[in-house]
Amino acid sequence: MGDLFDAVPSSVGGLTPSRCDVAVIGGGPAGATIAALLAERGRDVVMIEKSRHPRFHIGESLLPHNLPLLDRLGVGDEVRRIGLTKFGVEFVSPWHDKPVMFEFADAWDRNFPSAYQVHRSAFDEILFRNAVRRGAHALENTRVTAVEFDDEGAEVTFRGGDGADRMLRTRFVVDASGRDTFLASRFGIKQKNPRHNSAAIYAHFTGAERLSGKAEGNITVFWFEHGWFWFIPLSDGATSIGAVCWPYYMKSRSNSPEAFLFDTIALCPALQQRLRNAKLASPVSATGNYSYRAERNSGHCHLLLGDAFEFIDPVFSSGVYMAMHSAFVGADVVDTCLSRPREADVALQAFDRSIRHGPKAFSWFIYRVTTPALRDLFMNPRNYFRMQEALLSILAGDIFRNTPTGTRLVLFKLLYYLASLRNPLRTVRAWQRRRQIIRDVPSGDAAA
């Protein structure tokens, strides 16, 4: 693919080598985390980010089990300074009389009582600069355009702000490109999730009415006829508001994104009341075709992390946590592949099990979160056999340890099926509607 260059200027400082041990595509939470971990171990890492930090991103709500990962990276105090403490989640349903609040302190393990709401622009930049401090080379405003694998690794072609194409020789490629799904798209292995289909429209507001006291930083989930809303308060007074909708509703848009978002908010009186004095503080964005998975998450000299492998739905704020967790696991795997190639197959199999476990733990709830039976259980919580504590453990991100929640979650699911049978006509109608919805693919305009 041409001669290797000797060195190119890095936008972060220093020189980027023409060869490295690991090339990381993407400088978000997954990419910055694995770059920091590998650089700490003495690996030559080049992290290539298409944007320039700070940049806007949604997914502002962290989980309690994010915090130990941040501390292990050495950025816990920095994140605490920019974050708004979140002690739980509130659910609001128009089909039920009053809101319900769940607190993380009531989970099985009470040692993780809180998390943070963060501006992703600031949060992602903290992780990105931390990777550079720990020795990773970083390129911003630089887009990877091609990756060619061979027996020794890969050649990565990228294009910087000057428009010139350059190449980097690497022994290993980590795809942390998020929803760009760089490798999965180029390999032709990205697949629409056959069990879920949603789209989102979102923006930031100022002047939104928050909960009072300790609950000020809590996230609120509002159900409405066409899906659900998130309400995420941030430390500077801004609030992230987004509607995750069924595609048929997004395709009904015939006006501007701003007007459509306000029309959608008007369909949820409880949210509209809390935004009665609020003002739009950012452009309105929309994203379609939310749910997908790649057929595989690894191969010869490469890994796919976080959203580059799979994404389902943001309802339980799991995206950043699973991205960072996959990076911690992935760092061990990359190190094994480079240092002890004979053990690579076993390490890659363990990585596959781990990275699939996270979405699987959340998916049962995600697929059913808009069903009447699950709404009823959430809005009328009971702690029979400690089932509520087990559910809160999931909401807190306690899915990779040996916390003894499995039996209780099975009982909760059984309770869900029994609740569904109590109103069979309602359940059948909901199932038929959902079946039609997940076949409905959003038009290109819906995600404009």
Side-chain angles (χ1 to χ4, degrees), residues 28-105:
T33 297
I34 198 169
L37 294 172
L38 289 171
E40 271 190 333
R41 301 181 189 194
R43 297 295 179 187
D44 293 325
V45 180
V46 176
M47 179 172 49
I48 306 171
E49 165 59 36
K50 68 177 182 179
S51 303
R52 186 179 297 278
H53 289 285
R55 79 284 193 274
F56 179 82
H57 207 288
I58 56 168
E60 300 100 336
S61 197
L62 306 182
L63 300 184
H65 283 264
N66 267 120
L67 272 57
L69 303 185
L70 297 172
D71 288 336
R72 286 166 64 185
L73 285 173
V75 298
D77 289 339
E78 290 182 79
V79 173
R80 289 180 184 92
R81 284 194 289 271
I82 67 162
L84 180 63
T85 303
K86 157 189 167 183
F87 291 100
V89 54
E90 178 190 39
F91 289 95
V92 180
S93 165
W95 299 281
H96 297 83
D97 293 335
K98 59 182 181 179
V100 171
M101 184 75 72
F102 293 97
E103 293 193 351
F104 300 125

Side-chain angles (χ1 to χ4, degrees), residues 1-11 15-19 23 46 48 139-148 154-170 182:
M1 292 184 63
D3 296 331
L4 296 174
F5 62 97
D6 293 329
V8 298
S10 166
S11 63
L15 294 176
T16 301
S18 61
R19 295 177 181 272
V46 176
I48 306 171
L139 294 169
E140 296 181 275
N141 195 30
T142 301
R143 185 179 294 272
V144 174
T145 58
V147 176
E148 297 291 337
E155 272 189 354
V156 178
T157 304
F158 59 90
R159 182 174 301 150
D162 61 1
D165 287 339
R166 297 181 173 90
M167 284 178 288
L168 173 69
R169 183 74 203 176
T170 185
F182 184 88

Side-chain angles (χ1 to χ4, degrees), residues 8 40 129 151 180 296 326 374 376 402:
V8 298
E40 271 190 333
R129 305 302 173 199
D151 291 343
D180 285 352
R296 60 180 185 274
S326 71
L374 194 64
D376 287 348
N402 294 322

